[in-house]
Amino acid sequence: MLPEAIWRLKCSDRDSVVMSHRTIHLFRKGLRLHDNPTLLGALACSAALFPVYVLDRTFLEGAMGLGPLRWRFILQSLEDLDARLRALGSRLYVLRGSTAAVLNDLVTRWGVTQISYDTEVEPYYACMEREIQALAQERGLQTYTHVSHTLYDVKRIVKANGGSPPLTYKKFLQVLSVLGEPEEPVRDVSAEDFLRCSPPAEPLHEQTYRVPSPADLGLELDSEVLWPGGETHALQRLHKHFQSQGWVANFSKARTVPNSLLPSTTGLSPYLSLGCLSVRTFYHRLRSVCAQSKNHSLPPVSLQGQVLWREFFYTVASATPNFTKMQGNPICLQIDWYHDPEALEKWRTAQTGFPWIDAIMTQLRQEGWIHHLARHAVACFLTRGDLWISWEEGMKVFEELLLDADYSVNAGNWMWLSASAFFHKYTRIFCPVRFGRRTDPQGQYVRKYLPVLKNFPSQYIYEPWKAPEDVQLSAGCIIGKDYPRPMVCHTEASQRNLGLMRQVRTEQQNTAELTRDVADDPMEAGLKRELQEEEELLEGAEQHGTSKRFSGDADHKSRPWTPETLQLSGEVM
């Protein structure tokens, strides 16, 4: 990280006069004033600086697939950023339109000589950056960029690995051991910084450049705000968690609870995703706590390990063509997934007939967040576990609904959970009944998110189709009428899919080996007993015939779950 003095020197060398520029600082992610090296560097060589956010709705909803909850989170984050800038004597200028067109207009209107922005890894941001560079060349502008959203410049990691990304976590950590620890965060932006380069006031600023409301964008939102957007809330959450240094030091991802009514993890992922919280700040705070603790947990399941997983996916995504797709993706198994829009819609709208799966998908739609193990469960169910539908379809749903949706991490996790890349213990399949029951025997999570089932006795809450008719009547919910029957027989479907996956991996062994780590799967640490029991059940079913563990007889008789049924149009993903 370049200290301020060196930034000043760079600006001086380039322009002969320090603080000579009239600069637009373009916020995209990185919606914060702490550890913002790009903004700090731009302030150091500018006589006037305009903090700008371009609300390009076509781009945000097209390239990034934003849904209403994430829109609200972004707008709240912009309001918070504006308030924090105003406290320092500046403000945020929010404009609507395409980024290139808006910047071109502002260059003329404000007499701009420089544009600063964070360097990002996503292809759509890279395309935007090429447009900015073309505009700068055409208009004779300087540009100032810096890496801010990751711990390292991922290009350094790729270079240190011989020009290609490390494709296993173990190899990734080996490369980092050569590079050393990530650089420390830079200081916070201060009022003094803006005092030196505040832009002149314009008439009608408040209305022209204000942050729009959800209603201004035609968004209808009536759900409770559980995750308020913005740097202020991010730092408050960070401070709250670090008050319990023992919890931080001993955090183990696999020991957190997937169906807890309250998050058992940090809940910081939405803020890291949008850059309201600096990942370097988070990492070095963790490192400081762990340095003071003799018995802290270790990567990959520690909090530091989870941050490094994020960095791993960013690195691989930065240098892998078509990372968010199966076709044209050199590290992804090419699988003939079923094409079944009806089955996909049942999964997406929480109508699978499996209460734990449906409760998870309901929480996702209502709140924009679900526990990482809950994500594992619904992803496995959609792909290799039960429905054999492409991970790309699930990724798109998560992209729309998750507050912490992230290009690199979302795609990486979906390839992982579908066993298309990275994860190779493909015989381990989540049971959509037993895993939820094990962590929440009374079914409080299901009762909260599926109130139609709230009156079922605990023994039936995860398998309501097994309840006698009088129990269903007493609960006020008739299965098949008020709540759907299971859309698949889990044991039959997972057994069949296991055979299909085994065949794929045999035929594409070279691709499968690209991302194969010799170590056991760290993402599933602590879940071995659950997953191995499921594995043994499947192997037993293969040897002794089909199990009838989950029936849902009416649905199975009326619509047999076969490849022919699923491939309605003969298409593959």
Side-chain angles (χ1 to χ4, degrees), residues 478-497:
I478 304 300
I479 303 304
K481 177 184 176 183
D482 304 306
Y483 180 75
R485 293 182 178 275
M487 63 186 295
V488 294
C489 172
H490 168 66
T491 303
E492 293 176 2
S494 53
Q495 178 187 338
R496 182 185 60 252
N497 294 347

Side-chain angles (χ1 to χ4, degrees), residues 218-365:
L219 301 174
E220 296 183 4
L221 291 158
D222 54 8
S223 58
E224 182 183 359
V225 178
L226 299 177
W227 310 84
E231 179 182 16
T232 299
H233 289 284
L235 294 176
Q236 288 173 350
R237 282 179 179 265
L238 184 69
H239 177 71
K240 178 181 177 181
H241 282 293
F242 277 91
Q243 284 181 322
S244 175
Q245 294 201 2
W247 181 88
V248 171
N250 296 308
F251 173 92
S252 176
K253 183 176 181 182
R255 290 202 299 265
T256 57
V257 183
N259 45 4
S260 170
L261 295 181
L262 294 173
S264 53
T265 53
T266 65
L268 292 172
S269 56
Y271 303 97
L272 289 167
S273 172
L274 198 56
C276 300
L277 175 64
S278 157
V279 68
R280 281 190 297 266
T281 297
F282 184 41
Y283 180 87
H284 282 287
R285 288 282 299 274
L286 290 172
R287 186 166 177 259
S288 175
V289 169
C290 291
Q292 300 172 37
S293 175
K294 295 181 179 179
N295 299 312
H296 60 81
S297 55
L298 298 172
V301 297
S302 66
L303 281 172
Q304 277 184 294
Q306 297 312 302
V307 176
L308 293 178
W309 270 111
R310 175 184 186 269
E311 199 80 2
F312 169 69
F313 281 135
Y314 265 83
T315 303
V316 179
S318 73
T320 301
N322 301 304
F323 188 71
T324 58
K325 297 179 174 61
M326 181 183 76
Q327 293 185 356
N329 184 339
I331 67 172
C332 183
L333 293 175
Q334 303 298 296
I335 298 174
D336 287 345
W337 300 106
Y338 298 151
H339 177 77
D340 189 341
E342 180 183 348
L344 174 62
E345 184 66 8
K346 286 182 178 180
W347 174 84
R348 190 181 71 85
T349 58
Q351 294 293 308
T352 69
F354 289 95
W356 190 45
I357 299 298
D358 291 342
I360 293 169
M361 295 303 292
T362 300
Q363 182 189 18
L364 173 61
R365 183 166 297 278

Side-chain angles (χ1 to χ4, degrees), residues 447 451-457 460 464 467-479 482:
R447 298 178 201 279
V452 68
L453 300 177
K454 67 181 180 180
N455 294 324
F456 272 86
Y460 297 117
E469 183 178 355
D470 62 326
V471 173
Q472 295 183 32
L473 287 170
S474 177
C477 175
I478 304 300
I479 303 304
D482 304 306

Side-chain angles (χ1 to χ4, degrees), residues 550-561:
F550 306 113
S551 57
D553 292 328
D555 275 11
H556 299 151
K557 290 177 181 177
S558 63
R559 188 172 184 268
W561 197 258

Side-chain angles (χ1 to χ4, degrees), residues 7-18:
W7 275 324
R8 287 175 175 270
L9 180 60
K10 284 171 64 71
C11 290
S12 179
D13 288 345
R14 186 181 64 196
D15 304 302
S16 299
V17 180
V18 173

Side-chain angles (χ1 to χ4, degrees), residues 405-427:
D406 184 297
Y407 172 89
S408 304
V409 178
N410 193 23
N413 276 328
W414 273 97
M415 279 188 277
W416 184 294
L417 297 168
S418 65
S420 296
F422 306 114
F423 177 63
H424 302 278
K425 302 288 185 178
Y426 65 92
T427 55

